Amino acid sequence: MTSGGIRIKAWAAAVCALFAGAAWANPRPGQLNMTRGVTEWSYRPYLLNNVALGVCVAIGILVFGAMFIAMFRFRKSRGAVAEKWTHNTMLEIVWTTVPVLILIVLAYMATGGLTTFADTTGAQMTVKVTGYQWKWRYDYVDYQGKPVEHVGFMSRLDALSDETRELRSGLDPKAVQENGENTYLLNVDHPLVVPVGVKIRFVITAGDVIHSWWVPQLGWKMDAIPGIVNAAWTNIKEPGVYRGQCAELCGQDHGFMPIVVKAVPKAEFEQWLAAQQKPAAAPAPAAAGSAAAPATAQVPAAPAHQG
Amino acid sequence: MAHAATHDHHDGHHGAPSNFFVRWCMSTNHKDIGTLYLVFSLLMFFIGGSFAMVIRAELFKPGMQLVQPYFFNEMTTLHALVMIFGAVMPAFVGLGNWMIPLMIGAPDMALPRMNNLSFWILPFAFALMLSTLFLPGGGPAGGWTMYPPLALQTDSLAYVVFAVHLMGISSIMGAINIIATILNMRAPGMDLLKMPVFVWSWLITAFLLIAVMPVLAGAVTMLLTDKYFGTSFFNAAGGGDPVLYQHIFWFFGHPEVYIMILPAFGLVSEIIPTFARKPIFGYKAMVFAIASIAFLSFIVWAHHMFAVGLPLGAEIFFMYATMLIAVPTGVKVFNWVSTMWGGSMTFETPMLFAIAFVILFTIGGFSGLMLALVPADFQYHDSYFVVAHFHYVLVTGAVFAIIAATYYWLPKWTGHMYSEFWGKVHFWNSVIWVNVLFFPQHFLGLAGMPRRIPDYNVAFANFNMISSIGGFLFGASQLIFLGVVIHCVFFSKKKAADRVWEGAKGLEWTVPSPAPFHTFEVPPVIHDEELAHGHVED
């Protein structure tokens, strides 16, 4: 009895872990559901996903249940004789109006979420994200109302993943690890460093073809389109390393331009930013990018009016 | 009158020409052209399927083992183009060609010579498109949606654009033919609201085709001029807009999605009443639902673009419009279930595929509803969740309906019964492995795996391997289908009755099996009680 109870508890815990995902930052083996994420916003898609899934499962049980009952009850081999009716006005009214009511509830939830997401005002920091074939560039535009000068760098696939992903490289993707976590194709040379607890506005564009900037933990993706500057925002609650990938097909190495966001406490971020702004410290990451970024100049500059 | 006219124009109206070339290449016979379409579609199904096998083999485990990333992109692009334009659409045109004249009591299609042309364009279109695989620079690799600026980087663009033009011309001619046939050639007494649902679904689909294929042709022509003639429709540096292409493309693309599913609705609406031995529930509601879905398909296109940075108002409008589609689609599903309720059912292979269609298509519909919710779509968009969604509606939706219809009408076409045992073996293998193939892809997408990537993090390994195993076995299962069809056409000894299925109603079952080369040279006298829907009151 007790051992059975324990086993059930262990199972329940495992199932909860698979579905809830709050304790895990990045994709993990056997993950079944969307992540809850680490921002104010990211809970909304997660909740909406769960509610919509629940609605679908409930309707599915009713409809498929009725089908299976019909398949067992109304078999010719069981002597069922076909009836002649082809209408039932009451039923038809019910199954037209009830779905409409359910949809209204879902639409209400979704609309509330959208208006929150669309509001990029009141950000305390701006980062410009530029997609290139096949790397990202991050430029820090302003922080706490003050413009940030000369902090910008390219961020590309880490060397170990890059070597391992060569065709028939003979290297084991499982061996690509960082701090005990598998980071194969989800690690970069220079992560985007941001503070927690700060509303960060991203202005997103691209230098060559369309890319899409997606970190599941932040709860959204936004296309990076040459000639267009898109805006989005985030406010990360917990420090951590959050990994994502380019989500819009952008050529042969589309699968090999990951995104890594390193969220750190505010004080630590300010130190890091100050170090980056010192001329001596700046060249290291920035130089790597400037040589390979001929298209930067064509991209419209990020709006500078953000306060 | 009609009788005399037919006599004048058909030299060989008593039977098919004996010369192979004359019979198949110069055919104006709706049955032979229907057969050509169906054989072509089956060939393309296996070619497109082999591309899918390459994709699943590369994704079997993490690390790059088989192909270069660029070739992988060629495979995903061509898999989609071949399956959509080569397998699913021609299969529906083939079924329409074969069955619409038989179902409405017409002697042939309204425009038989154009019918020949619209088929024979297709092999050339696909030869043009697939030849790029063997040319320097390789095949198209920018995705079947051909988004600029990426699509402009491929050397094969011109080949694909001209191939798409040809396919579009073929589709438009096929659609004109179907509309002309349905509106002008129905036997006396075959009122519009007595037509089989399949005929209705094709009538509406044909209007969708005529409306949107020119839009696609325009979009790809602008790609062509952008690449080769210095225009800047989609080039931001020249004052153009890359997002404009996406609006134009999806104005075609979303109705296109319904072009691939509405005839499937029609097929299933024929098959379920036959094997439930009960008339379809809510005939008019079914027709009206198809028409509503067709209308809505024109005002939902930007739900493919929720992540391009649309204005808030646009996102809300397209979300609401998309959610509305769930209502008529729900009505259809409820009506199919109600048709089964109180029936007297048997479960021959066509019925099994039709029931699997209803269940699995509905699962695809559920994920479609989830995708419509914009905040959630910010996560789902361009992930494997989307891949799972559209394969549920296209494979277990459109393809299963086509397979069901093939089993349903194969005895009528060939005069022989197919092997019921092997049909069922095919069904159970298909329905099990297709779920092993596509269901885990929901999990991959929710966990954060983007689509169209040739390699992935170790966290995605287990479900990818399961999916690949399902993919190989689902692919292999279709060889059983090929075997069943070949056996039925060439080797089966079992004669089919004229009314092949006990509960079958409608004009197509009043002609002999196999259907003679010419049917309904004299319009049939229609008895409402013999029609599938003729006796439906109100």
Side-chain angles (χ1 to χ4, degrees), chain A residues 49 74 76 111 184 216 221 223, chain B residues 307 320 345 379-381 455:
Chain A
N49 167 68
F74 305 110
K76 197 184 176 213
T111 309
Y184 179 57
K221 62 176 68 67
D223 285 0
Chain B
Y320 292 171
M345 278 187 279
Q379 291 278 36
Y380 304 140
H381 182 79
D455 197 5

Side-chain angles (χ1 to χ4, degrees), chain A residues 27-34 41 45 48-49 52-53 56 59-60 63-64 66-71 73-76 80-83 85-88 92 95-96 100 103 106-107 110-111 114-115 117-118 133 165-168 173-174 182-186 208-210 214 216 219-223 225-228 230 245-252 254-256, chain B residues 62-69 73 141-143 147-150 153 236 241-243 246 277-282 285 307-309 312 315-316 319-320 323 327 331 333-335 337-338 340-347 355 358-359 362 366 369-370 373-376 378-383 443 446-448 450-453 455-460 462-463 502 538:
Chain A
R28 56 189 189 281
Q31 182 176 340
L32 295 179
N33 199 5
M34 187 189 288
W41 157 263
L48 203 53
N49 167 68
L53 178 65
C56 292
I59 298 173
V63 174
F64 303 151
M67 275 184 84
F68 280 102
I69 292 170
M71 281 188 265
R73 266 181 65 183
F74 305 110
R75 301 174 84 95
K76 197 184 176 213
V81 178
E83 291 168 37
W85 48 266
T86 57
H87 288 279
N88 186 328
E92 293 185 74
W95 71 44
T96 311
V100 171
L103 290 176
L106 286 174
T111 309
L114 260 187
T115 46
F117 184 73
Q133 285 176 316
R165 64 105 175 176
E166 286 301 319
L167 184 61
R168 291 186 279 270
K174 290 193 184 68
N182 185 284
T183 57
Y184 179 57
L185 303 182
L186 290 180
D208 35 45
V209 302
I210 302 174
W214 181 27
W220 51 268
K221 62 176 68 67
M222 184 61 80
D223 285 0
I225 304 168
I228 289 175
N230 277 327
Q245 284 175 273
C246 176
E248 178 66 55
L249 179 63
C250 58
Q252 65 169 1
H254 161 57
F256 308 106
Chain B
M64 301 296 294
Q65 290 88 22
L66 298 171
V67 296
Q68 291 290 359
N73 290 348
Y147 282 3
L150 180 65
Q153 293 180 344
D241 180 358
V243 177
Q246 300 185 20
R277 293 168 180 75
K278 181 164 163 280
I280 188 125
F281 184 93
V308 300
L312 177 63
E315 302 215 299
I316 289 175
M319 171 168 70
Y320 292 171
M323 292 172 78
V327 177
V331 166
V333 172
F334 298 139
N335 284 13
V337 177
S338 305
M340 292 164 65
W341 194 271
S344 170
M345 278 187 279
T346 51
F347 298 90
I355 290 171
V358 175
I359 294 175
T362 303
F366 285 148
L369 174 65
M370 295 167 77
L373 305 169
V374 181
F378 286 156
Q379 291 278 36
Y380 304 140
H381 182 79
D382 264 334
S383 76
F443 305 140
L446 290 168
R451 59 190 283 211
R452 293 167 163 169
I453 57 173
D455 197 5
Y456 48 81
N457 181 261
V458 172
F460 305 126
N462 42 13
F463 284 132
E502 187 189 41
D538 90 311

Side-chain angles (χ1 to χ4, degrees), chain B residues 494-529:
Chain B
K494 204 174 155 203
K495 283 274 169 218
D498 292 353
R499 188 174 300 276
V500 177
W501 313 106
E502 187 189 41
K505 287 192 163 183
L507 293 179
E508 77 263 37
W509 308 107
T510 62
V511 303
S513 296
F517 198 59
H518 292 293
T519 40
F520 298 130
E521 286 173 286
V522 178
V525 177
I526 296 195
H527 305 286
D528 281 2
E529 65 280 3

